[in-house]
Amino acid sequence: METIVFATNNPNKIREVQQLLGSNYQFLSLEEVGCMEELPETSPTLEGNALEKARHLYHHYHHDCFSEDTGLEVEALNGAPGVITARYAGPERDARLNMQKLLRELGPHTNRKARFRTVIALIINGKEYLFEGIVNGSISHELQGEDGFGYDPVFIPEGENRTFAQMSKEEKNAVSHRGRAIAKLQDFLKKQLHHG
Ligand code: IMP
């Protein structure tokens, strides 16, 4: 069985990809390969950051691996918060403060279009591959719903009138940026098995 390091220590994320990819691959967390340092993320783009993290892992731990980076891109704010989504309102990465800042900044604008974008960088045998997942939607006028994390209470995916925080985990995963990027990774890995 092939093993691939997933650049996360979040057991839910590992479990999710493990379920999707069945018994063909085993996914290891950062901890499981002894990576305790914070991975570098110094690029101005999601692609750059995802690659930077994956390259660090590949070069220091010599293991096939992938990493992901996600940003919320708001049209009226010229794509902000984008690469600084997690730290929009400050280094404490506080979801509530981030959402408050977003609603404040968007206050005067009528265009509330936004999208979540996830980029996955995979390195296998030294070769680099990128996969992108996007969900289009809009920013609500106030926080709605209790579930989820991050900006879920203010993000309404296209074709819905509920926020991500008002949807079940399954409903969200079926359309989400991360779900779509992981589906592409899954397709790629399946083809690798047949042709690789
Ligand atoms: P990361 O790259 O997965 O760490 O995501 C960066 C930031 O984007 C997170 O800290 C969250 O604030 C936000 N984010 C990512 N995915 C989601 C999501 O599915 N819902 C809401 N916020 C998200």
Side-chain angles (χ1 to χ4, degrees):
M1 188 182 349
E2 312 277 339
T3 58
I4 300 184
V5 183
F6 183 0
T8 181
N9 277 323
N10 182 334
N12 296 316
K13 285 188 177 180
I14 301 257
R15 201 173 312 124
E16 194 180 302
V17 287
Q18 193 68 61
Q19 274 166 5
L20 286 169
L21 283 151
S23 51
N24 298 323
Y25 290 92
Q26 188 192 2
F27 294 93
L28 304 175
S29 67
L30 291 172
E31 244 172 43
E32 286 173 298
V33 291
C35 175
M36 300 300 172
E37 69 273 20
E38 194 153 327
L39 298 176
E41 277 186 278
T42 60
S43 166
T45 65
L46 298 176
E47 285 79 2
N49 277 336
L51 276 170
E52 196 178 0
K53 289 187 280 189
R55 283 177 185 154
H56 176 95
L57 265 177
Y58 194 78
H59 294 304
H60 290 85
Y61 297 87
H62 315 289
H63 214 297
D64 291 343
C65 60
F66 74 94
S67 74
E68 48 155 23
D69 207 39
T70 296
L72 175 64
E73 300 173 336
V74 180
E75 194 172 276
L77 304 179
N78 300 316
V83 78
I84 63 154
T85 296
R87 297 166 277 120
Y88 191 37
E92 55 287 324
R93 297 170 176 253
D94 185 297
R96 219 148 254 277
L97 293 179
N98 283 340
M99 286 188 286
Q100 280 163 7
K101 175 165 178 183
L102 178 63
L103 294 182
R104 210 167 47 238
E105 298 281 330
L106 254 188
H109 298 279
T110 48
N111 174 8
R112 305 191 71 87
K113 278 190 202 157
R115 65 180 193 176
F116 268 116
R117 195 160 73 88
T118 292
V119 174
I120 289 179
L122 170 75
I123 306 185
I124 289 198
N125 294 327
K127 268 188 144 181
E128 299 177 344
Y129 306 89
L130 288 175
F131 307 93
E132 184 187 56
I134 289 178
V135 57
N136 290 307
S138 61
I139 302 299
S140 62
H141 288 269
E142 57 192 7
L143 275 60
Q144 288 171 311
E146 300 296 332
D147 287 338
F149 71 101
Y151 293 79
D152 278 349
V154 293
F155 186 83
I156 303 172
E158 215 166 50
E160 262 292 333
N161 49 26
R162 296 172 300 167
T163 66
F164 266 166
Q166 293 173 305
M167 297 166 69
S168 71
K169 206 158 172 281
E170 289 71 27
E171 286 174 319
K172 179 185 165 186
N173 285 344
V175 298
S176 85
H177 45 303
R178 191 171 304 97
R180 286 174 173 165
I182 294 217
K184 287 187 186 170
L185 171 72
Q186 189 187 352
D187 270 2
F188 176 86
L189 289 176
K190 277 194 181 142
K191 286 188 190 123
Q192 284 277 117
L193 274 183
H194 295 127
H195 305 292

